[in-house]
Amino acid sequence: MRQTPFRIALLVIAILAISLFHYFTPLHLHHIHDIFQRLYYLPIILAALWFGLRGGVGTALAVSIVYAPHILFQWGGQLTVEMEKYLEILLYNVVGFLTGLLAQRERERRVELQRVAEGLEESYRKLQQQSERIIAVEEQLRRAERLSTLGEMAAVLAHEIRNPLGSIRGTAEILRDDYPAGNPKHEFIEIQIRETERLNRVVEDFLRMARPQQSEKKRCSLREELETIVTLTAGSARGAGIELVLEPIEGELPLMGDGEKIRQAFLNILINALQATSAGGRVVITARRTDGRATISFGDSGAGIPGNVLARMFEPFFTTKADGTGLGLAVTKKIIEAHGGTLEVESAPGQGTTVILTLALLPEGT
Ligand SMILES: Nc1ncnc2c1ncn2[C@@H]1O[C@H](COP(=O)(O)OP(=O)(O)OP(=O)(O)O)[C@@H](O)[C@H]1O
Ligand SMILES: [Mg+2]
């Protein structure tokens, strides 16, 4: 584009220069006139190549106009005598038209080809992205398969562990009667009972996750469930010096679901938030209705979650806690998704964490 003015100037100069020499060449030097007459093809063809049909025809016309006075006034302009010169003018225009047309077609084809090439490149890029995605999904699938066989085995194992665990706990409780408080062995028995309880909880959690039990869906109130979990944890929050706030909720926020499970899911999130927050910090729960869905958020002023943990925190058994099972969020996610809900986590290290859930609601008052 930038060379357009330069090219036009070159064409104008060429035509003017040829004409100047042409007009000032004495008439008896026929052969020199013949040469100049042919030289006009140069700017015409150049213009056709550079500017296509318009360039070719335009330049041929310009040459015709510049050349005509020479024939008319210097040569006398008689049609029969100067026939060859008139034909030359006709030829200028034919050549300008044809070369212009050809050049234009050529250029159009080039543009077309370029477009095709760009399209191909785009398709290639998409294909590459897609195959990368396929590879990633395959990898996930392989991992899921591995996890699911592992999971099945572990579920059997968990089941087998549960019964002896019951016996251990039972006998420990009997022994406790023999070593009442104050006895030096009492403490050991207490530890035994506490640890079996913990183990039992892990196994229960795990089984709950591994076996999708039929859950009973009833009308329940999100507000009630949230109030319940806040009541349940208020004591330990106070003990840890954390301010636990449930912001006022408008309406019941009723939904169709398994209230017990939903409470369990909320509790897992809230316990994580409390565990992540140190004394003097805050955990705030909000819930509101928007377009038939509830949005519930659990915000904490804890340490936040680094990217590598964020990417894995929903994986079963992923934990950063010494005594964690890593099942809390995996179970939670499963419960929320079984209720057609969504779950996302916003967090930045040092800025706390907010877990946001959405769940479909029933109309208020039903
Ligand atoms: N609010 C939070 N702030 C910071 N980290 C969190 C938060 N919630 C979850 N995490 C991180 O996600 C990990 C997984 O959480 P999850 O609840 O699944 O397991 P857990 O809390 O470690 O163990 P469990 O819940 O079984 O006791 C946690 O170990 C923790 O690192
Ligand atoms: Mg947890």
Side-chain angles (χ1 to χ4, degrees):
M1 275 298 115
R2 245 180 314 138
Q3 49 200 14
T4 305
F6 171 74
R7 286 179 166 177
I8 292 176
L10 200 70
L11 291 173
V12 171
I13 290 169
I15 294 170
L16 288 181
I18 295 166
S19 304
L20 214 64
F21 286 117
H22 205 161
Y23 276 82
F24 286 108
T25 304
L27 291 186
H28 66 272
L29 298 171
H30 292 280
H31 49 288
I32 307 245
H33 277 270
D34 281 351
I35 291 173
F36 285 130
Q37 205 169 310
R38 305 288 128 76
L39 270 182
Y40 279 127
Y41 284 109
L42 230 60
I44 293 174
I45 290 173
L46 266 182
L49 287 180
W50 286 340
F51 302 114
L53 189 59
R54 265 196 304 177
V57 171
T59 312
L61 281 176
V63 166
S64 309
I65 290 164
V66 176
Y67 183 42
H70 179 63
I71 308 171
L72 290 174
F73 304 120
Q74 289 188 285
W75 290 100
Q78 269 176 305
L79 190 61
T80 41
V81 184
E82 308 303 343
M83 181 54 108
E84 172 237 9
K85 295 192 173 60
Y86 287 117
L87 275 179
E88 193 82 54
I89 285 191
L90 184 68
L91 221 57
Y92 292 152
N93 287 281
V94 171
V95 167
F97 176 78
L98 285 181
T99 35
L101 199 67
L102 286 177
Q104 188 147 329
R105 286 229 183 114
E106 173 64 27
R107 184 169 332 156
E108 278 164 7
R109 194 154 334 135
R110 210 167 39 225
V111 170
E112 181 63 33
L113 270 177
Q114 195 157 352
R115 230 194 334 261
V116 170
E118 276 165 14
L120 272 177
E121 214 168 297
E122 176 67 25
S123 313
Y124 176 72
R125 210 176 21 248
K126 277 198 194 135
L127 208 69
Q128 201 163 16
Q129 275 173 2
Q130 228 128 40
S131 47
E132 273 165 18
R133 205 168 306 152
I134 288 175
I135 291 172
V137 169
E138 270 182 351
E139 175 57 32
Q140 274 175 2
L141 216 65
R142 256 199 301 281
R143 264 190 34 206
E145 264 168 29
R146 230 173 18 233
L147 264 179
S148 93
T149 11
L150 264 179
E152 276 164 29
M153 279 161 54
V156 173
L157 202 64
H159 202 77
E160 291 302 315
I161 289 174
R162 210 158 47 152
N163 294 339
L165 217 52
S167 319
I168 295 174
R169 196 201 148 119
T171 47
E173 272 168 1
I174 294 170
L175 285 177
R176 182 163 53 181
D177 298 341
D178 292 345
Y179 299 101
N183 188 300
K185 301 250 169 82
H186 178 79
E187 172 75 356
F188 298 127
I189 301 287
E190 281 298 326
I191 292 175
Q192 198 173 341
I193 292 175
R194 209 165 48 236
E195 292 298 293
T196 31
E197 261 169 14
R198 186 159 83 97
L199 211 52
N200 199 45
R201 249 194 336 267
V202 173
V203 171
E204 290 284 339
D205 269 355
F206 178 77
L207 283 176
R208 200 170 10 235
M209 203 188 60
R211 301 241 172 77
Q213 312 138 320
Q214 270 312 342
S215 65
E216 203 182 314
K217 292 204 171 170
K218 287 189 302 211
R219 180 186 183 283
C220 49
S221 155
L222 281 189
R223 188 172 68 166
E224 257 170 43
E225 304 302 351
L226 287 172
E227 282 168 355
T228 307
I229 61 157
V230 169
T231 310
L232 281 176
T233 51
S236 61
R238 207 173 315 118
I242 300 166
E243 188 188 355
L244 175 58
V245 182
L246 174 62
E247 302 232 306
I249 297 171
E250 213 176 291
E252 284 297 311
L253 305 184
L255 89 168
M256 234 8 199
D258 185 332
E260 200 178 316
K261 289 219 170 118
I262 287 179
R263 194 179 330 131
Q264 153 106 52
F266 289 169
L267 201 56
N268 287 344
I269 297 171
L270 180 56
I271 289 175
N272 281 346
L274 291 171
Q275 286 172 342
T277 308
S278 36
R282 252 163 81 89
V283 172
V284 180
I285 306 170
T286 68
R288 67 195 147 74
R289 175 192 282 271
T290 19
D291 301 328
R293 287 182 85 80
T295 306
I296 307 125
S297 81
F298 297 80
D300 68 58
S301 61
I305 307 174
N308 57 330
V309 174
L310 205 56
R312 301 191 52 196
M313 59 198 284
F314 289 102
E315 283 177 19
F317 305 115
F318 178 83
T319 180
T320 58
K321 298 168 191 168
D323 59 347
T325 65
L327 286 174
L329 285 179
V331 170
T332 301
K333 188 167 185 216
K334 214 164 160 169
I335 293 173
I336 298 302
E337 282 175 358
H339 283 81
T342 65
L343 182 67
E344 64 185 72
V345 181
E346 285 172 3
S347 183
Q351 286 174 13
T353 301
T354 306
V355 179
I356 300 161
L357 309 177
T358 74
L359 283 164
L361 288 178
L362 295 172
E364 204 67 40
T366 50

